[in-house]
């Protein structure tokens, strides 16, 4: 395992905006709870009205089910962002002359450029909400030993960071699209 001290001089540091993860969780959790509660009430009212109505070809519970799915989805996504908020505090990526390091509490990922097996870049949607939530850009760096580190749009200057990694990693061979460029 490589230490950051073995990677040479630091070239650039990119911090992750972890506070935004917390903000997203704080928004999604209560909104998801309200939407879920409203969907349950809507489902009860719809079932009561449908029981008293003449049956038709349409499913009266379709809308309440869709709203319930939306609420539960918001709750689950809120939990994921809350967990990421707590596990990625003070996360940063540092590019060194001879490699890359990712530091967050309880975990340090450091690798030489030659150890990178695959760089997978998946651009997300380019709209204001995706950029704000960090979903506009995603990259997974995989080492030959199987360790992985993910970089998303919440990391400052994520595109430039990924370009630096792709320029130095022997396996990347330049920018990648939806797939990956494995080591030859």
């Amino acid at each position: 395992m490589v230490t950051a001290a073995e990677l040479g001089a630091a070239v650039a540091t990119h911090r992750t905006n972890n506070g935004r993860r917390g903000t997203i969780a704080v928004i999604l959790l209560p909104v998801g709870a309200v939407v879920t509660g409203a969907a349950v009430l809507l489902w009860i009212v719809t079932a009561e009205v449908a029981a008293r109505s003449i049956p038709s070809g349409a499913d009266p519970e379709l809308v309440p089910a869709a709203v319930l799915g939306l609420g539960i989805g918001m709750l689950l996504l809120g939990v994921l962002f809350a967990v990421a908020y707590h596990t990625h505090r003070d996360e940063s990526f540092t590019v060194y002359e001879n490699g890359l390091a990712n530091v967050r509490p309880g975990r340090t990922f450091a690798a030489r450029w030659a150890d990178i097996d695959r760089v997978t870049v998946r651009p997300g949607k380019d709209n204001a909400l995706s950029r704000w939530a960090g979903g506009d850009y995603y990259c997974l760096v995989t080492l030959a030993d199987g360790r992985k580190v993910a970089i998303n749009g919440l990391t400052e200057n994520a595109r430039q960071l990924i370009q630096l990694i792709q320029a130095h990693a022997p396996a990347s061979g330049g920018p990648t699209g939806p797939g990956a460029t494995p080591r030859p």
Side-chain angles (χ1 to χ4, degrees):
M1 189 177 246
V2 178
T3 64
E6 298 174 57
L7 298 177
V11 174
T13 298
H14 302 263
R15 298 195 186 326
T16 301
N17 187 347
N18 195 47
R20 197 171 305 154
R21 284 185 181 120
T23 302
I24 294 168
V26 166
I27 292 169
L28 286 175
L29 289 170
V31 171
V34 168
V35 170
T36 301
V40 169
L41 290 175
L42 181 61
W43 200 315
I44 291 169
V45 169
T46 303
E48 287 294 321
V49 170
R52 295 185 199 143
S53 300
I54 298 172
S56 68
D59 185 1
E61 295 174 352
L62 183 63
V63 171
V67 175
L68 183 63
L70 176 67
I72 291 172
M74 292 171 86
L75 285 170
L76 291 174
L77 197 55
V79 168
L80 287 175
F81 272 98
V83 168
Y85 172 75
H86 288 290
T87 59
H88 289 74
R89 290 187 184 273
D90 300 321
E91 180 179 40
S92 67
F93 294 88
T94 303
V95 177
Y96 292 91
E97 291 174 334
N98 302 316
L100 171 72
N102 170 241
V103 178
R104 66 180 199 225
R107 179 175 180 257
T108 299
F109 173 97
R112 291 183 186 91
W113 297 125
D115 295 335
I116 295 177
D117 184 48
R118 191 172 315 139
V119 178
T120 306
V121 179
R122 284 183 238 136
K125 294 190 178 201
D126 190 18
N127 59 49
L129 181 60
S130 291
R131 284 190 300 272
W132 181 75
D136 60 325
Y137 206 63
Y138 178 81
C139 176
L140 186 65
V141 177
T142 307
L143 298 186
D145 65 6
R147 291 184 297 150
K148 298 176 183 178
V149 66
I151 302 164
N152 64 27
L154 290 176
T155 302
E156 66 184 22
N157 301 316
R159 283 184 173 85
Q160 290 82 2
L161 173 61
I162 298 309
Q163 288 171 351
L164 279 170
I165 294 169
Q166 289 176 323
H168 288 93
S172 76
T176 58
T181 304
R183 179 179 295 207

